[in-house]
């Protein structure tokens, strides 16, 4: 089972993903923004990062960018529901270009999350 | 309006007589002008059709010449034809004005529709992020609660209903976003219609147990240019509507064939492929047919339809450079509806070059970004 860092500014989404992952036997750490996520990544070195893309302060694309610039090969699963000025499919595609190994459009079902994790960890 | 008709005829005849017997040139001009005004007024109010007015005019001349056999008929005709010519010209102009007005109204309607779509798009993009996050929680927590309950728990079925509804809400948000945007962001590619239709049939088969789908193709292969998923969505939407129209029991016929009919090819190109989806449902009355492609128009019960399915289909077909035609029968025992989608056909011989060109363009574009 893996240690997974979940970064999302929505409390409910963090809680939901945590419960889904813990039910599946994974260990979960959560962060409510990109900056906190990067700090926890350095401290805990998780096996997988699941990050939202549109967040206040430091957004998910920047998180992916900084991690990949440091040549960290931790797999990243990017999730997004789109935003006012940003289309969901476009930002998810861009996150792949930045180095996300798998993408997950919101809203998702439990099985869709699990499938995306399998892809990210493969 | 026979009363008005007779009065106008009599008045017009009298005026024409007054023209002939006018004491001077000025009076004659006045009577001519009055006759012209009377005729023009009758025409513009649609009180008398133009051909009847011509008949009235001729009758007046005949009547006048019979009463006055000493006058030369050609002199009378020459004198009296003037108001008729002017009336015809005025009628022509007003007819043109009416046409222009109708054309402008049609344009306004299209503009209003596109504004409405734009508003839907702005609204959809604005709420999509928040809505998707909310739906994510609703779907996810419902699933967790569902899995945590034993089958005997009565709440389990209720939670399943929440799940079904929230998954429908997810589809709705996605449909609204699709409606709002013209391009899906993905590049167009060559799509094999036959395999796309077969994959949709499998999907519908899973959903609709009492429904039979007959698929036949008059061509060995059918390639068109589209974005991935576009064809599937068009066919799926039309199949769902067909199933609803037949109350989920009956046969849907899907047929594809190449077409050379002028009616089909208008605005599409030299060669086209026609996909026909037919049902034996209740049919669509003519007054409803005009509205079926309008966004939010639905005849389904509240909560059963969003009214977006056919407008999405219409928009997608237009994006693909094609046309959609509807033929429906509501009476006569042969009830049902045929939707015909005409799409530009990818010519097999020219395929290599056009595809190569597209691929190199796409590569160049990607290198730039």
């Amino acid at each position: 089972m893996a240690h997974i860092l979940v970064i999302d500014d929505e409390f409910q989404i963090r809680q939901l993903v945590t419960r889904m992952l813990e039910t599946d036997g994974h260990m979960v750490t959560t962060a409510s923004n990109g900056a906190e996520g990067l700090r926890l990544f350095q401290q805990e070195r998780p096996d997988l990062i699941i990050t939202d893309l549109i967040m206040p302060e430091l957004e998910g694309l920047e998180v992916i960018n900084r991690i990949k610039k440091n040549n960290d090969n931790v797999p990243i699963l990017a999730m997004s529901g789109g935003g006012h000025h940003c289309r969901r499919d476009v930002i998810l595609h861009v996150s792949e270009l930045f180095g996300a190994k798998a993408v997950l459009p919101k809203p998702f079902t439990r099985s869709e999350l699990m499938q995306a994790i399998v892809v990210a960890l493969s | 309006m026979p009363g008005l008709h007779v009065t106008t005829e009599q008045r017009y005849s009298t005026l024409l007589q007054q023209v002939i017997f006018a004491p001077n040139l000025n009076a004659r001009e006045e009577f001519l002008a009055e006759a012209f005004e009377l005729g023009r007024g009758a025409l513009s109010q649609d009180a008398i059709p133009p051909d009847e007015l011509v008949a009235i005019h001729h009758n007046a001349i005949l009547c006048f010449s019979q009463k006055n056999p000493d006058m030369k008929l050609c002199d009378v005709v020459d004198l009296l034809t003037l108001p008729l010519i002017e009336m015809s010209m005025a009628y022509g102009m007003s007819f043109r004005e009416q046409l222009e007005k109708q054309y402008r109204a049609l344009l306004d309607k299209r503009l209003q529709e596109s504004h409405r779509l734009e508003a839907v798009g702005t609204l959809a993009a604005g709420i999509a992020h928040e809505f998707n996050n909310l739906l994510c929680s609703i779907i996810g927590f419902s699933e967790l609660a569902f899995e945590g309950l034993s089958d005997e728990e009565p709440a389990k079925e209720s939670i399943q209903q929440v799940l079904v509804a929230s998954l429908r809400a997810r589809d709705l948000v996605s449909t609204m976003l699709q409606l709002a945007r013209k391009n899906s962001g993905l590049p167009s590619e060559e799509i094999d219609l036959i395999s796309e239709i077969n994959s949709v049939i499998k999907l519908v088969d899973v959903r609709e147990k009492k429904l039979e789908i007959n698929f036949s193709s008059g061509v060995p292969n059918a390639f068109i240019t589209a974005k991935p998923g576009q064809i599937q969505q068009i066919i799926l939407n039309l199949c769902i509507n067909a199933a609803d129209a037949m109350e989920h029991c009956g046969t849907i016929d899907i047929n594809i064939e190449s077409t050379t009919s002028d009616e089909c090819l208008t605005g599409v190109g030299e060669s086209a492929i026609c996909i026909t989806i037919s049902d034996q449902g209740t049919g669509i009355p003519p007054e409803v047919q005009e509205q079926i492609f309008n966004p939010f128009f639905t005849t389904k019960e509240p909560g059963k339809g969003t009214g977006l399915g056919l407008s999405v289909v219409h928009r997608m077909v237009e994006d693909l450079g094609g046309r959609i035609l509807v033929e429906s029968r509501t009476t006569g025992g042969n009830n049902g509806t045929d939707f015909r989608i005409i799409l530009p056909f990818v010519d097999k011989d020219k395929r290599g070059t056009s595809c190569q060109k597209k691929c190199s363009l796409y590569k160049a574009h990607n290198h730039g970004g």
Side-chain angles (χ1 to χ4, degrees), chain A residues 11-69:
Chain A
F11 169 70
Q12 276 191 320
I13 302 290
R14 292 200 301 276
Q15 210 183 21
L16 172 73
V17 176
T18 303
R19 276 189 58 185
M20 284 180 168
L21 296 177
E22 284 180 349
T23 314
D24 236 40
H26 298 291
M27 197 180 110
V28 182
T29 303
T30 60
S32 59
N33 61 59
E36 189 188 2
L38 279 177
R39 191 171 50 76
L40 286 170
F41 167 67
Q42 294 301 339
Q43 275 177 18
E44 304 193 8
R45 309 300 296 182
D47 307 309
L48 170 71
I49 297 175
I50 299 180
T51 183
D52 186 25
L53 290 177
I54 302 170
M55 291 185 286
E57 295 179 50
L58 193 69
E59 28 177 81
L61 281 182
E62 192 53 35
V63 172
I64 302 172
N65 191 29
R66 290 197 195 176
I67 289 173
K68 292 298 160 189
K69 259 190 180 168

Side-chain angles (χ1 to χ4, degrees), chain B residues 127-192:
Chain B
I127 63 163
H129 184 214
E130 284 75 8
F131 222 75
N132 284 339
N133 272 327
L134 292 170
L135 281 173
C136 201
S137 296
I138 297 170
I139 293 169
F141 284 115
S142 304
E143 277 188 314
L144 288 172
F146 183 80
E147 284 160 19
L149 290 171
S150 68
D151 288 349
E152 292 78 43
E153 288 279 354
K156 193 158 185 169
E157 206 202 314
S158 308
I159 290 177
Q160 195 177 12
Q161 295 299 332
V162 174
L163 253 173
V164 171
S166 44
L167 286 172
R168 271 191 54 206
R170 172 167 90 160
D171 290 346
L172 176 60
V173 174
S174 158
T175 310
M176 281 172 82
L177 284 171
Q178 252 163 16
L179 183 74
R181 74 180 69 121
K182 265 191 116 113
N183 302 307
S184 72
L186 296 165
S188 293
E189 55 188 60
E190 230 171 68
I191 301 277
D192 177 3

Side-chain angles (χ1 to χ4, degrees), chain A residues 65-114:
Chain A
N65 191 29
R66 290 197 195 176
I67 289 173
K68 292 298 160 189
K69 259 190 180 168
N70 284 337
N71 292 322
D72 265 308
N73 56 4
V74 60
I76 299 174
L77 166 59
M79 56 181 180
S80 179
H84 283 273
H85 305 292
C86 200
R87 273 168 47 185
R88 188 176 63 184
D89 52 348
V90 172
I91 196 166
L92 285 171
H93 180 62
V94 171
S95 77
E96 280 181 308
L97 296 176
F98 272 59
K101 196 160 174 202
V103 294
L104 182 63
K106 283 181 187 173
F108 47 80
T109 62
R110 188 176 169 184
S111 63
E112 286 163 353
L113 172 68
M114 294 312 161

Side-chain angles (χ1 to χ4, degrees), chain B residues 291-351:
Chain B
Q291 301 178 68
I292 55 172
F293 296 116
N294 292 348
F296 300 113
F297 178 80
T298 181
T299 53
K300 294 177 186 171
E301 286 170 41
K304 290 274 166 77
T306 59
L308 292 175
L310 278 180
S311 56
V312 169
V313 168
H314 188 252
R315 185 163 257 230
M316 280 186 170
V317 172
E318 276 193 346
D319 282 354
L320 295 173
R323 298 177 66 207
I324 183 161
L325 305 170
V326 193
E327 206 182 298
S328 197
R329 303 158 297 275
T330 51
T331 50
N334 186 25
N335 293 6
T337 304
D338 302 337
F339 278 96
R340 275 190 298 162
I341 297 161
I342 296 106
L343 297 171
F345 190 36
V346 175
D347 194 331
K348 230 181 162 188
D349 300 329
K350 294 177 191 163
R351 227 165 67 197

